[in-house]
Amino acid sequence: MKRVVLGVALLASLSSVAWAQKQEYVRYRVGTTVSYGRLDGETIVQLRGAPWMGGTPTGVKVPRSKVTLLAPATPSKVIAVGLNYQTHLGERSAAAYPGLFAKLPTSIIAHGDTVVLPPDANNVHYEGEMVIVIGKRAQHVSKERAKDYVFGVTTGNDVSERDWQKSDLQWFRAKAADTFGPLGPVIVTGVNYNDLLLETRLNGKVVQSQRTSDLIFNVAEIVSYISRYVTLEPGDVIYSGTPGTTQQMKAGDVVEVRLEQVGTLSNPVVQRH
């Protein structure tokens, strides 16, 4: 009995240590000043630089309610993995390696920003996803070492124009148009990103729900594979894939993507005329 009690106490202790390592980071604006910060409850502790670059506290603190949250990273590269849940593949078989495509940094928008559909976009879908944030330069990284290059995870929406995906030579327009990459609002470290609940809501209704443990290629496999061909830099982001089926978004809709222990990304939709 004593051994059992000690075992339970040890597990509880380990659990508390894991939880204590969880940190939340944001990028924000106050007036004309843009900064990175670490969340401490409802207070933001300003950092001297990006947290993945070793940004240390400046001593300045500001209430979260007094800032404008921006996309939490300004990546040099935005890479995405397609068809990475069997529920999204349907009857098709999984590929032998991750299917990659690129979005553009100019597609990135923040929590609360508006997804603007181009005038000729007629079939635009949401794709709720977990997004990997790279913490240090990664080139030819093994799967065993890949976790050392991941800073944390955030929430994303890989907005996709399905008609353009089918008709264009590449997915450039369909995936990389301006505002087609909502991201944020926070980056979280110290969580088990290989087993988080991912949910998407369209106008309040749950339309996607699956755990990241169901990814065909997990975070380590994704980072390792990409680094064979492309050097990943600190602050680069990787959209890891969307589960289930998706639906069309229309002007007036609101899309919310929630990632367990990370937060909710919410964006309204309009159409440019």
Side-chain angles (χ1 to χ4, degrees):
M1 178 62 73
K2 185 177 180 180
R3 185 176 296 175
V4 171
V5 171
L6 287 172
V8 171
L10 178 60
L11 286 174
S13 174
L14 290 173
S15 176
S16 65
V17 169
W19 178 255
Q21 293 173 343
K22 178 182 175 182
Q23 299 285 355
E24 298 177 291
Y25 297 94
V26 294
R27 182 169 156 268
Y28 65 97
R29 183 175 62 243
V30 177
T32 58
T33 302
V34 174
S35 305
Y36 286 95
R38 176 176 56 80
L39 279 178
D40 183 5
E42 290 302 310
T43 298
I44 297 174
V45 178
Q46 187 186 56
L47 302 178
R48 289 187 171 85
W52 47 86
M53 300 300 288
T56 56
T58 65
V60 175
K61 298 182 179 181
V62 60
R64 181 173 177 169
S65 60
K66 300 295 184 182
V67 311
T68 299
L69 291 181
L70 307 174
T74 56
S76 67
K77 288 180 288 298
V78 183
I79 301 172
V81 184
L83 304 175
N84 202 20
Y85 287 89
Q86 189 60 51
T87 54
H88 194 59
L89 274 166
E91 298 299 320
R92 293 170 289 180
S93 298
Y97 49 83
L100 304 178
F101 58 93
K103 297 171 78 74
L104 293 176
T106 47
S107 71
I108 297 295
I109 59 172
H111 167 73
D113 287 350
T114 302
V115 175
V116 182
L117 310 182
D120 54 341
N122 297 311
N123 190 19
V124 181
H125 287 214
Y126 56 78
E127 288 193 10
E129 308 198 6
M130 177 178 70
V131 179
I132 305 159
V133 183
I134 296 299
K136 60 182 181 179
R137 199 168 195 262
Q139 189 177 42
H140 312 310
V141 173
S142 69
K143 286 186 287 187
E144 292 71 26
R145 294 178 56 225
K147 67 179 186 300
D148 298 331
Y149 293 81
V150 175
F151 177 76
V153 294
T154 187
T155 311
N157 184 357
D158 175 23
V159 177
S160 307
E161 215 292 354
R162 299 297 189 215
D163 293 343
W164 296 349
Q165 279 187 265
K166 295 175 183 177
S167 64
D168 290 1
L169 176 64
Q170 295 185 346
W171 289 357
F172 179 84
R173 248 194 335 163
K175 295 283 195 174
D178 288 352
T179 78
F180 276 25
L183 191 70
V186 302
I187 298 170
V188 174
T189 64
V191 298
N192 180 12
Y193 43 70
N194 285 316
D195 189 18
L196 300 174
L197 178 63
L198 174 68
E199 286 191 337
T200 305
R201 291 180 174 87
L202 180 64
N203 301 323
K205 178 183 177 182
V206 176
V207 289
Q208 290 180 297
S209 182
Q210 195 154 357
R211 302 197 71 85
T212 59
S213 54
D214 293 327
L215 283 165
I216 295 169
F217 301 101
N218 65 26
V219 171
E221 292 169 321
I222 291 168
V223 172
S224 175
Y225 182 75
I226 293 172
S227 76
R228 293 185 201 175
Y229 310 103
V230 177
T231 301
L232 295 167
E233 301 290 350
D236 283 351
V237 299
I238 306 167
Y239 287 67
S240 62
T242 200
T245 57
T246 63
Q247 300 176 32
Q248 184 179 358
M249 304 184 304
K250 298 180 180 179
D253 287 345
V254 175
V255 180
E256 298 169 288
V257 184
R258 178 184 174 274
L259 187 59
E260 183 182 11
Q261 297 194 58
V262 177
T264 301
L265 169 71
S266 178
N267 300 92
V269 181
V270 302
Q271 186 140 23
R272 192 174 73 245
H273 298 289

